[in-house]
């Protein structure tokens, strides 16, 4: 999950970047409106409205016009009702007033990502990747025609990866797909992936991407 943090206070930006990265997010920090509008594509924007070279409201409006599916959370000291209403009307999905706790921000990020996932197009019900055949509706898996018995979480991990074969998914994206949170017990995902690999009979089907997460081999 890639987050664009738009925060003009570099000290605050550095602290928030570090805390978000510890929670498994990839973070790009932009300190100005110009930098925010020139940043690489992302999954979610945390947007301060008080910027040195422009109004964050205008940045929000432009970002929303570019991508109607982009998650945008206004994170700002502007707490007046008129500011909140304006921010939401021009395209912000949520509005957090400073000061706030990281626990609250984390919860709002996860809630927004869940809403985004629910509004996405329905995935294919049968997925075939190389020797794998996954029937999402029936929740069955076969490798080279041979059925494989998986636990619920193992199946959900495999289905999440199989929807984008060959694409590296971050740990937090998989956690969100399977557990509906990006924060869980230490090594929870790793233990399930190890068991999944063993049951599939080919450890290289589910590949580790160092520093990112996992991907399903596409052939």
């Amino acid at each position: 999950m890639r987050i664009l943090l738009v925060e003009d206070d570099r000290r605050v930006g550095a602290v928030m970047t570090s805390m978000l990265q510890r929670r498994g997010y990839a973070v790009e920090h932009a300190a100005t409106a110009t930098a925010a509008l020139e940043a690489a594509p992302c999954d979610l924007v945390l947007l301060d409205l008080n910027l040195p070279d422009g109004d964050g409201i205008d940045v929000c409006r432009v970002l929303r016009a570019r991508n109607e599916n982009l998650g945008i959370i206004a994170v700002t000291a502007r707490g007046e009702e008129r500011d909140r209403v304006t921010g939401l009307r021009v395209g912000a999905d949520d509005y957090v007033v400073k000061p706030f706790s990281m626990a609250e921000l984390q919860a709002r990020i996860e809630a927004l990502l869940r809403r985004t996932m629910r509004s996405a197009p329905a995935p294919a019900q049968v997925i075939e990747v190389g020797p794998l055949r996954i029937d999402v509706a029936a929740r069955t898996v076969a490798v080279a025609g041979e059925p494989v018995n998986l636990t619920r979480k193992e199946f959900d991990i495999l289905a999440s990866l199989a929807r984008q074969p060959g694409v590296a998914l971050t740990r937090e994206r998989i956690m969100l797909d399977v557990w509906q949170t990006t924060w869980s017990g230490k090594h929870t995902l790793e233990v399930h992936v190890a068991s999944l690999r063993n049951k599939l009979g080919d450890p290289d089907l589910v590949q580790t991407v160092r520093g990112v997460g996992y991907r399903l081999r596409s052939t």
Side-chain angles (χ1 to χ4, degrees):
M1 183 59 57
R2 183 178 177 84
I3 292 178
L4 172 62
L5 171 63
V6 186
E7 168 59 61
D8 70 316
D9 187 318
R10 295 186 182 278
R11 182 184 62 82
V12 173
V15 171
M16 289 184 64
T17 295
S18 177
M19 296 180 75
L20 289 165
Q21 287 175 336
R22 287 202 298 271
R23 284 164 170 77
Y25 298 109
V27 183
E28 179 179 355
H29 177 211
T32 65
T34 300
L37 295 175
E38 293 177 349
C42 62
D43 302 296
L44 185 144
V45 179
L46 300 177
L47 177 62
D48 187 1
L49 301 183
N50 297 314
L51 300 171
D53 60 339
D55 194 325
I57 291 293
D58 295 328
V59 174
C60 183
R61 185 181 290 109
V62 172
L63 292 176
R64 175 57 67 222
R66 288 179 178 175
N67 184 353
E68 64 179 15
N69 296 315
L70 177 65
I72 302 176
I73 300 178
V75 182
T76 178
R78 296 187 192 177
E80 297 294 328
E81 181 182 19
R82 64 177 180 274
D83 294 314
R84 296 197 299 271
V85 170
T86 300
L88 293 170
R89 282 180 173 169
V90 300
D93 297 288
D94 202 350
Y95 199 103
V96 183
V97 178
K98 298 176 181 177
F100 56 86
S101 70
M102 281 304 298
E104 178 188 3
L105 182 60
Q106 174 79 15
R108 289 178 181 272
I109 289 172
E110 291 177 358
L112 176 55
L113 294 176
R114 284 196 298 271
R115 293 198 299 271
T116 302
M117 289 167 59
R118 284 197 294 268
S119 64
Q125 293 301 296
V126 176
I127 305 171
E128 295 186 348
V129 183
L132 279 172
R133 187 179 191 278
I134 304 167
D135 189 322
V136 177
R139 295 186 69 83
T140 60
V141 175
V143 178
E146 294 296 321
V148 178
N149 293 320
L150 301 179
T151 67
R152 176 186 171 191
K153 294 302 185 186
E154 291 165 356
F155 180 90
D156 290 342
I157 292 169
L158 182 61
S160 179
L161 294 169
R163 291 187 180 104
Q164 298 185 72
V167 176
L169 299 187
T170 61
R171 181 183 186 278
E172 63 272 14
R173 170 62 187 275
I174 301 171
M175 293 293 294
L176 189 66
D177 283 350
V178 177
W179 281 272
Q180 286 73 58
T181 181
T182 59
W183 198 248
S184 187
K186 186 177 182 181
H187 303 315
T188 297
L189 178 58
E190 289 79 359
V191 169
H192 282 82
V193 168
S195 177
L196 173 61
R197 285 169 167 161
N198 182 61
K199 291 181 178 181
L200 293 177
D202 182 354
D204 193 49
L205 276 175
V206 178
Q207 301 172 333
T208 299
V209 181
R210 188 177 299 275
V212 179
Y214 300 95
R215 69 174 166 230
L216 184 69
R217 194 179 69 205
S218 59
T219 58

